[in-house]
Amino acid sequence: MTTAAPIPNEPPQGDWADRMEQSVLDAALPLAPRLGWNGRLVRAACKANGLSEGDQELLLPNGARDLAALLSRRHDARALETLEATPAATLKMRQRIATAVSARMEAGAADLEATKRCAGFLALPTNADLGLSLAWESADVLWRWAGDMATDWNHYSKRTILSGILIPALTMRWFDGRDRAEAFVAARIENVMAFETWKVGKDFEAPLKRLTDTLSRLRYGTKAPENSG
């Protein structure tokens, strides 16, 4: 059985969807200050791109949540473009994180009014899960630029800590201005570095190991093997 050749010059479906997502986002940004970040905004931006309600459902099945994710990821990409001009290896770690967070804040500030509406949307209890997930994504992007190669529990702890800095820092940047946000970030980084210095030499996995051994004895009558597969 032969397979039909693709129609010449017809873009793959994925390419079309990617381009259309960005085009819808472009249309949404100037409308957001007036319409808010909601279903009305999504419909207006899709309509501006000639999309029917059926097309909209296929492209953005989660509506304003999908649009919020697109904006956050655009800001992540914009921050990385800025950071490319600064080799991370030339900076100390605290400088890397401060530089990365600053770049991410300014990436969002370029769409300030729309970003404010999106931030308010993500602050709603029904969208808190998405806000946390996007903050984790942003933290991962920034840590990778900073050169983090950890694959153990430090991989997750670093992103959790940076997410905890990013969420309030971004909110401060959108609503209170750059100076307050930068001061907040600097103070939080100092706190983290002090903690990192304090924990050197301390075995934080010891309580978990003791718990594992205890549970193993209760179940098997022996200590848990070093490599259980």
Side-chain angles (χ1 to χ4, degrees), residues 28-206:
L29 295 180
L31 297 173
R34 177 171 59 88
L35 298 179
W37 205 273
N38 49 42
R40 287 179 60 209
L41 175 66
V42 176
R43 183 69 205 115
C46 286
K47 189 174 181 180
N49 280 274
L51 298 179
S52 67
E53 292 186 6
D55 294 332
Q56 174 184 322
E57 181 64 24
L58 289 173
L59 188 70
L60 302 171
N62 297 303
R65 284 171 63 94
D66 286 341
L67 199 64
L70 287 172
L71 182 60
S72 179
R73 289 162 188 161
R74 175 180 287 189
H75 292 164
D76 289 343
R78 186 181 292 164
L80 277 182
E81 288 177 5
T82 300
L83 290 168
E84 285 178 358
T86 306
T90 64
L91 304 174
K92 294 181 178 179
M93 185 54 70
R94 70 178 64 198
Q95 293 174 313
R96 296 182 197 182
I97 299 307
T99 300
V101 173
S102 179
R104 181 59 178 79
M105 291 193 298
E106 295 314 301
D111 304 308
L112 186 57
E113 293 307 315
T115 300
K116 285 181 179 180
R117 302 309 187 278
C118 186
F121 173 80
L122 291 173
L124 295 173
T126 52
N127 300 318
D129 62 323
L130 177 61
L132 291 172
S133 176
L134 293 174
W136 178 279
E137 282 188 21
S138 296
D140 183 56
V141 167
L142 300 183
W143 266 118
R144 289 180 185 279
W145 169 81
D148 177 58
M149 303 298 290
T151 56
D152 57 4
W153 68 276
N154 282 299
H155 173 91
Y156 301 97
S157 64
K158 287 179 178 179
R159 282 146 184 79
T160 299
I161 291 170
L162 187 53
S163 296
I165 294 175
L166 268 177
I167 293 173
L170 293 175
T171 303
M172 282 188 178
R173 178 61 184 90
W174 312 153
F175 296 96
D176 299 322
R178 183 172 185 171
D179 290 343
R180 285 198 63 185
E182 296 279 9
F184 170 83
V185 171
R188 296 293 78 76
I189 290 175
E190 285 301 319
N191 292 156
V192 172
M193 290 303 176
F195 174 72
E196 292 295 323
T197 300
W198 172 79
K199 77 175 188 179
V200 170
K202 297 178 175 64
D203 186 2
F204 288 95
E205 294 185 358

